[in-house]
């Protein structure tokens, strides 16, 4: 089967039309052109492997499959099948990365906030050698072949997607401090991914270019969380591989918030059947300040559900909070932009001028 970069999301509702589903064991990420039954299953960590009826050529082997297809509506209600695909859960593991296992003074203080406020969670600080090993062993054919062609910053971007896809947990840049214990987050237990807006409203294209954002509705990736096997993160890495072969070198568009926002928007658009017509209406009659998908809301129609944080929930200060009805006063993470071209002062000036 020829590989393509179409969304890989699987609806976990009990719909059974032309395939049998069952949980698959963890497997390394596959390269383009390796998505067939003979190769490793296409997804991992409780995601779904799909067996098309056309793949079964032996008549005797096909009979049980056909019977299951016929009986599926009744069997789906049985507890045995209900537990066959478990709800993805975000594990209590905190991932951070530094060039070596040594942090600067401020970084050490910020990292300590994660350990001190979350003693029940496992904490892991990854260095460059460990990150490379993760890419080599867990993505031997998708990310590893382009690894040497990525800059250190781009590798750090890939790491956050890969480690959460592979192991799950919470990722935070080393210049981000924890302000509220994870077990006090007021987020629905059904959420299998946490993503935050970077701005409190949609930017116009001219303004986006002026402040050097990658997207008009951009999602930050200095703090995010996910259950392992998340299809959004897999999609993000697929897009990176695709854009790498397209000769895209810009970090923002190749591995940074641009590609991450694209993967998130793709998931959200799939969940909203009115997304396209709404976008058409918006472009014909532009709004002043708005977000296409309201913050502090849970999205997703299957087991994979995404919680969208308001911009101010993972920043030192809220971004145009007055424009986002979902902007909450309770801050979860403070990002100090110590290792970025962006600074807190930059954001304050941008907020004042919007």
């Amino acid at each position: 089967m020829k590989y393509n970069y179409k969304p890989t999301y699987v609806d976990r509702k009990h719909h059974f039309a032309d395939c049998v589903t069952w949980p698959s064991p963890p497997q390394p990420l596959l390269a383009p052109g390796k998505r067939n039954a003979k190769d490793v299953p296409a997804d991992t960590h409780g995601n779904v492997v799909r067996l098309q009826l056309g793949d079964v050529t032996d008549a005797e082997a096909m009979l049980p499959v056909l019977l299951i297809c016929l009986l599926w509506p009744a069997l789906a209600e049985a507890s045995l099948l209900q537990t066959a695909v478990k709800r993805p859960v975000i594990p209590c593991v905190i991932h951070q990365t530094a060039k070596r296992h040594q942090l600067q003074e401020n970084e050490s203080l910020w990292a300590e906030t994660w350990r001190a406020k979350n003693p029940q969670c496992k904490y892991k600080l990854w260095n460059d050698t460990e990150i490379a090993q993760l890419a080599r062993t867990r993505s031997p054919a998708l990310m590893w072949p382009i690894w040497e062609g990525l800059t250190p910053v781009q590798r750090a971007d890939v790491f956050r997607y890969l480690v959460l896809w592979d192991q799950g947990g919470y990722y935070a840049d080393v210049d981000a401090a924890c302000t509220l214990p994870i077990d006090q987050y007021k987020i629905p237990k059904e959420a299998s991914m946490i993503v935050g807006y970077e701005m409190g409203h949609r930017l116009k294209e001219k303004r986006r270019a002026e402040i050097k954002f990658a997207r008009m509705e951009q999602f930050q990736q200095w703090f995010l969380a996910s259950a392992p096997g998340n299809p959004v993160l897999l999609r993000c890495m697929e897009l990176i591989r695709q854009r790498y072969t397209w000769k895209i070198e810009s970090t923002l568009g190749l591995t940074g918030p641009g590609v991450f926002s694209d993967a998130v928007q793709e998931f959200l658009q799939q969940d909203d059947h009115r997304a396209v017509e709404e976008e058409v209406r918006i472009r014909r009659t532009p709004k002043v300040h708005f977000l296409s998908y309201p913050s502090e809301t849970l999205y997703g129609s299957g087991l994979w559900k995404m919680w969208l944080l308001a911009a101010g929930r993972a920043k030192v200060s809220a971004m145009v909070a007055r424009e986002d009805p979902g902007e909450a006063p309770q801050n979860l993470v403070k990002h100090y932009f110590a290792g970025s071209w962006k600074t807190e002062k930059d954001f304050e000036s941008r907020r004042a001028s919007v």
Side-chain angles (χ1 to χ4, degrees):
M1 181 192 303
K2 186 176 179 181
Y3 181 85
N4 60 61
Y5 288 93
K6 293 181 180 179
T8 55
Y9 313 128
V10 178
D11 186 1
R12 267 73 173 183
K13 289 182 178 179
H14 291 297
H15 296 306
F16 194 102
D18 63 345
C19 61
V20 182
T21 63
W22 65 89
S24 60
Q27 298 289 346
L29 278 158
L30 298 175
K34 298 296 183 181
R35 289 286 180 88
N36 57 58
K38 185 177 179 181
D39 296 307
V40 186
D43 231 337
T44 65
H45 301 288
N47 287 332
V48 173
V49 175
R50 303 175 76 86
L51 174 64
Q52 302 296 329
L53 294 182
D55 295 337
V56 182
T57 57
D58 184 90
E60 293 183 359
M62 186 181 292
L63 182 58
V65 178
L66 292 173
L67 289 175
I68 294 177
C69 287
L70 294 172
L71 296 174
W72 180 258
L75 293 175
E77 301 301 322
S79 60
L80 180 62
L81 290 178
Q82 291 281 3
T83 58
V85 181
K86 295 182 180 179
R87 177 176 62 85
V89 176
I90 303 173
C92 198
V93 183
I94 300 165
H95 303 279
Q96 293 193 293
T97 182
K99 190 173 183 61
R100 301 179 182 84
H101 284 155
Q102 295 178 345
L103 297 175
Q104 299 178 8
E105 183 178 358
N106 283 341
E107 293 174 342
S108 296
L109 293 175
W110 296 325
E112 180 57 30
T113 63
W114 291 98
R115 292 189 291 263
K117 292 182 180 295
N118 306 285
Q120 79 283 10
C121 294
K122 179 181 178 181
Y123 177 87
K124 171 67 174 176
L125 179 65
W126 299 71
N127 64 18
D128 285 358
T129 301
E130 293 166 335
I131 289 175
Q133 177 70 2
L134 180 73
R136 185 183 68 81
T137 58
R138 301 307 298 153
S139 187
L142 187 62
M143 290 291 98
W144 183 244
I146 67 173
W147 195 253
E148 290 301 317
L150 300 175
T151 67
V153 173
Q154 291 168 351
R155 292 175 187 175
D157 282 338
V158 171
F159 164 72
R160 68 196 70 192
Y161 313 136
L162 178 56
V163 73
L164 294 187
W165 175 86
D166 181 57
Q167 302 178 19
Y170 297 79
Y171 170 84
D173 282 355
V174 290
D175 57 355
C178 177
T179 59
L180 187 71
I182 289 173
D183 59 11
Q184 294 182 25
Y185 288 3
K186 295 180 180 179
I187 293 174
K189 63 180 181 180
E190 296 83 6
S192 50
M193 186 178 192
I194 302 173
V195 175
Y197 275 110
E198 189 162 353
M199 179 68 79
H201 68 80
R202 181 168 176 168
L203 299 171
K204 293 185 177 180
E205 177 59 27
K206 181 179 179 181
R207 185 59 179 157
R208 179 206 65 76
E210 289 175 351
I211 65 175
K212 299 179 181 179
F213 266 41
R215 298 292 181 268
M216 292 185 291
E217 288 188 16
Q218 185 161 295
F219 298 96
Q220 55 81 11
Q221 24 97 275
W222 60 74
F223 169 74
L224 59 151
S226 176
N230 191 328
V232 179
L233 298 174
L234 175 59
R235 177 61 172 158
C236 191
M237 290 183 283
E238 290 174 344
L239 290 172
I240 291 172
R241 177 62 182 266
Q242 180 190 53
R243 293 174 188 188
Y244 186 89
T245 61
W246 287 355
K247 314 301 184 292
I248 294 176
E249 296 185 6
S250 166
T251 298
L252 290 178
L254 178 61
T255 62
V259 71
F260 179 65
S261 296
D262 291 346
V264 172
Q265 288 277 6
E266 192 174 82
F267 177 86
L268 295 172
Q269 184 273 330
Q270 178 182 269
D271 187 53
D272 187 350
H273 68 280
R274 298 177 304 168
V276 174
E277 66 177 79
E278 178 68 7
E279 184 65 20
V280 171
R281 187 184 67 80
I282 289 170
R283 295 195 185 200
R284 287 175 60 89
T285 310
K287 295 181 179 179
V288 179
H289 286 160
F290 68 98
L291 290 170
S292 295
Y293 303 95
S295 66
E296 301 302 311
T297 304
L298 190 67
Y299 296 91
S301 57
L303 287 182
W304 287 99
K305 291 183 169 62
M306 177 188 296
W307 180 260
L308 285 190
L309 293 173
R313 298 270 266 163
K315 266 199 183 77
V316 174
S317 57
M319 295 300 296
V320 200
R322 66 184 181 278
E323 304 297 345
D324 181 5
E327 192 76 60
Q330 190 176 38
N331 179 261
L332 306 181
V333 178
K334 288 188 176 181
H335 188 215
Y336 293 98
F337 302 97
S340 171
W341 58 272
K342 301 174 185 177
T343 67
E344 182 182 349
K345 184 177 180 181
D346 290 334
F347 278 109
E348 287 296 332
S349 64
R350 290 169 188 168
R351 181 177 67 166
S353 63
V354 174

